[in-house]
Amino acid sequence: MPRAVVTGGAGFVGSHLCDGLLARGWSVVAVDDLSTGRRENVAHLSSRDDFELVVHDVTRGLPVVGPVHAVLHLASAASPPAYLARPIATLEVGALGTQHALELARLHPGSRFLLASTSEIYGDPQVDPQPETYWGNVNPVGPRSVYDEAKRYAEALTMAYHRTYGVDTKIVRIFNTYGPRLAPGDGRVVSNFVAQALRGEPLTVYGDGTQTRSFCFVHDEVEGLIRLLESAHVGPMNIGNPSSITMLELATRVRQVAGADVPVVHQPAPVDDPRQRRPDITLAREVLGWTPTTTLDDGLREVLVSYRAAGVA
């Protein structure tokens, strides 16, 4: 049985990735300091012999013994409120955490390393959609730079390990992802809108609401990540939904799915908030045969069901 180490394995995407790897016959060690991850995300796996949760900060190393066939590095705060509240920690996990994860892969010859990078690499893009060849438009000293530049550095470090040590690396650029286990207080737009709709509160739109995003359901996202891990492609590779929607349109969809007759209220847009974000997934289609299949309405219904079950109201 191949053995994978997933940093950030108790997080939103990380916990679903643990599920996906286990379903494919891997054994999994999830490493998470629970700063943004949650034990309940992997509680359903706790009785399995092929799963282990190690509570640990990856910036202090990776205390994993035994065979390692893959290291998947997802550890990091991912929502703007979370990484803006932890600016130094966000930079450290992108730098020190990534190096510790790469070292674990290097010390196990033949293992594979997957870096969960981000569409934030592209900053406030001047091209739409964004292909992997686009170098981005990032403010290196703005408040969001603690996340953007941490991920850009992590990509550079990953490629340095690939070129210097021959580590079998893959880089995935994840675009906005949503689904069950996305914490209601996470601060990302889908969790905000759904939680507000269930509570009968106005939906908060930042800025004028004409900015666009694309949203990929978490099960589709995980399928793309695992296909990339199992491929010979190094990356970077975009994995996301190529369909975009304005925030005002998203608010309307959430209200319709939730059956909530609530207004929209506007707040000032955050500093350096991108006006558009949409992946070109031509490479993923051609190399992996991957494309997302879950519709936005179906995915939003899944989030609504999970929030209701969790007592969000």
Side-chain angles (χ1 to χ4, degrees):
M1 180 181 291
R3 187 169 183 245
V5 176
V6 180
T7 73
F12 163 50
V13 175
S15 63
H16 284 283
L17 183 57
C18 291
D19 290 340
L21 290 167
L22 289 164
R24 276 173 160 78
W26 290 76
S27 68
V28 174
V29 179
V31 181
D32 202 302
D33 69 354
L34 304 180
S35 58
T36 57
R38 300 182 295 167
R39 285 185 185 273
E40 52 264 42
N41 286 344
V42 292
H44 62 291
L45 304 175
S46 60
S47 63
R48 295 183 59 140
D49 293 336
D50 53 0
F51 176 80
E52 179 185 3
L53 173 62
V54 177
V55 179
H56 184 76
D57 180 353
V58 297
T59 67
R60 300 177 180 272
L62 272 169
V64 176
V65 296
V68 174
H69 302 96
V71 180
L72 300 94
H73 183 43
L74 281 78
S76 179
S79 72
Y83 62 69
L84 291 174
R86 302 177 177 88
I88 305 301
T90 299
L91 287 162
E92 287 177 341
V93 77
L96 299 174
T98 301
Q99 187 152 12
H100 289 315
L102 281 161
E103 274 294 299
L104 183 63
R106 184 179 74 85
L107 294 173
H108 292 81
S111 67
R112 294 185 171 189
F113 177 85
L114 182 140
L115 172 68
S117 188
T118 172
S119 60
E120 296 289 341
I121 288 288
Y122 301 119
D124 188 6
Q126 297 175 326
V127 300
D128 184 58
Q130 296 85 58
E132 292 86 353
T133 52
Y134 177 56
W135 288 0
N137 177 37
V138 176
N139 178 358
V141 295
R144 295 173 70 107
S145 67
V146 298
Y147 184 68
D148 303 352
E149 298 295 355
K151 289 294 188 179
R152 289 164 73 93
Y153 174 81
E155 287 197 10
L157 187 61
T158 297
M159 291 309 301
Y161 266 73
H162 175 71
R163 296 182 180 116
T164 304
Y165 300 119
V167 176
D168 185 0
T169 59
K170 290 88 176 52
I171 297 173
V172 58
R173 290 176 178 166
I174 296 175
F175 283 67
N176 296 66
T177 307
Y178 72 104
R181 301 181 204 158
L182 180 60
D186 177 84
R188 282 177 270 197
V189 65
V190 170
S191 56
N192 284 353
F193 280 180
V194 173
Q196 288 171 333
L198 287 174
R199 292 169 179 150
E201 300 170 354
L203 306 192
T204 304
V205 171
Y206 294 95
D208 62 9
T210 61
Q211 66 269 42
T212 60
R213 298 290 186 273
S214 65
F215 297 97
C216 188
F217 191 63
V218 67
H219 295 165
D220 292 332
E221 189 72 39
V222 164
E223 177 64 25
L225 266 61
I226 294 177
R227 289 194 192 188
L228 177 57
L229 176 70
E230 295 174 342
S231 77
H233 190 75
V234 174
M237 180 181 286
N238 294 334
I239 298 290
N241 194 314
S243 299
S244 63
I245 186 172
T246 71
M247 296 304 92
L248 288 174
E249 291 169 337
L250 177 64
T252 297
R253 298 282 279 277
V254 169
R255 287 183 296 188
Q256 290 172 344
V257 170
D261 184 14
V262 293
V264 167
V265 296
H266 290 262
Q267 296 288 340
V271 176
D272 295 331
D273 187 45
R275 291 296 305 169
Q276 59 187 0
R277 186 63 58 73
R278 180 165 63 111
D280 181 334
I281 63 167
T282 301
L283 187 62
R285 286 194 182 110
E286 292 178 349
V287 174
L288 307 180
W290 178 88
T291 189
T293 60
T294 306
T295 67
L296 180 59
D297 285 353
D298 285 345
L300 290 174
R301 290 188 188 97
E302 292 280 346
V303 178
L304 280 162
V305 168
S306 68
Y307 279 20
R308 286 188 175 120
V312 177

